[in-house]
Amino acid sequence: MSFDVDLAVRRGDVAIAARFATGPGATVLFGPSGVGKTSILQMVAGLLRPDAGHVRVGGEMLFDDRAGIDLKPESRRIGYVFQEPRLFPHMRVAANLRYGRPRGGGDWDGVIAMLGIGHLLDRWPRSLSGGEARRVAIGRALLSNPRVLLLDEPLSSLDRPRRGEILDALVAVRDRTGVPILMVTHDPDEAERIATDIVRL
């Protein structure tokens, strides 16, 4: 599944634009803070409306200003992992993972095993380490049966050992699930480790 993205938007005095076409695997938007990487991710997800351009994922048009196409975020089948895990504090891990999961959908056992979170299912989010919470957030996104997985700086604020754990998990997601990844980072080591394509901004 491929990405075909050509987008532009103005936010205040800042003009943000990106154009790229990439193949299956993990596409990394790489560049310094403040160049608009997160805004591009939000436009692909439908959380920020572009001023012009198009978004096509796997041959399906999600947004095209000329054709008047603008699918709602919930219709785009996108799993989004934000910079912070954003787990529901009043739900245990298992309930967080089930949230948004289609009835009978998603490979529950496979995702749990791949991310190594089976021992966390009865825990409350407040008891998780930063790395554990990130893995749960990635699992929740995968179990929503997405056509694509968007990751916004998923390793931010983690120490080096935890970053290594999450990178290992993301490589497993890339190689085992077939779900294409669009990830934002400003870290060259992260980009080189996970990316099959790098878009430099």
Side-chain angles (χ1 to χ4, degrees), residues 11 57 75 101 103 110 120 152 169 180 183 186:
R11 306 196 78 177
V57 177
S75 299
R101 182 183 179 218
R103 184 178 297 275
L120 304 176
D152 189 359
M183 173 175 153
H186 62 270

Side-chain angles (χ1 to χ4, degrees), residues 43-112:
M43 287 189 280
V44 172
L47 303 177
L48 172 65
R49 193 181 193 284
D51 295 329
H54 67 262
V55 176
R56 183 185 290 111
V57 177
E60 181 173 355
M61 194 67 77
L62 307 183
F63 176 84
D64 187 333
D65 71 307
R66 292 184 177 180
I69 297 170
D70 186 9
L71 296 187
K72 295 179 179 179
E74 60 270 24
S75 299
R76 297 190 183 200
R77 283 187 49 213
I78 285 176
Y80 199 125
V81 180
F82 295 87
Q83 291 186 21
E84 297 301 324
R86 298 195 183 187
L87 302 179
F88 297 113
H90 62 291
M91 295 181 179
R92 294 183 189 269
V93 166
N96 266 281
L97 289 167
R98 292 190 186 99
Y99 186 85
R101 182 183 179 218
R103 184 178 297 275
D107 180 7
W108 177 270
D109 291 336
V111 168
I112 299 301

Side-chain angles (χ1 to χ4, degrees), residues 98-199:
R98 292 190 186 99
Y99 186 85
R101 182 183 179 218
R103 184 178 297 275
D107 180 7
W108 177 270
D109 291 336
V111 168
I112 299 301
M114 178 176 60
L115 296 175
I117 55 177
H119 64 294
L120 304 176
L121 297 179
D122 289 331
R123 299 260 298 272
W124 294 101
R126 63 179 175 271
S127 74
L128 302 178
S129 69
E132 289 170 341
R134 298 295 169 91
R135 282 186 281 151
V136 172
I138 293 166
R140 181 173 63 183
L142 284 173
L143 287 168
S144 69
N145 197 27
R147 66 155 52 89
V148 62
L149 186 63
L150 305 186
L151 305 169
D152 189 359
E153 299 275 9
L155 309 181
S156 63
S157 75
L158 295 179
D159 59 27
R160 186 168 295 277
R162 302 294 83 75
R163 286 162 60 121
E165 289 176 8
I166 302 304
L167 269 175
D168 289 344
L170 292 177
V171 168
V173 170
R174 182 196 67 195
D175 294 343
R176 299 183 197 174
T177 68
V179 176
I181 294 171
L182 182 61
M183 173 175 153
V184 162
T185 184
H186 62 270
D187 186 296
D189 294 333
E190 293 174 18
E192 291 295 335
R193 176 77 189 282
I194 188 68
T196 49
D197 287 288
I198 296 179
V199 178

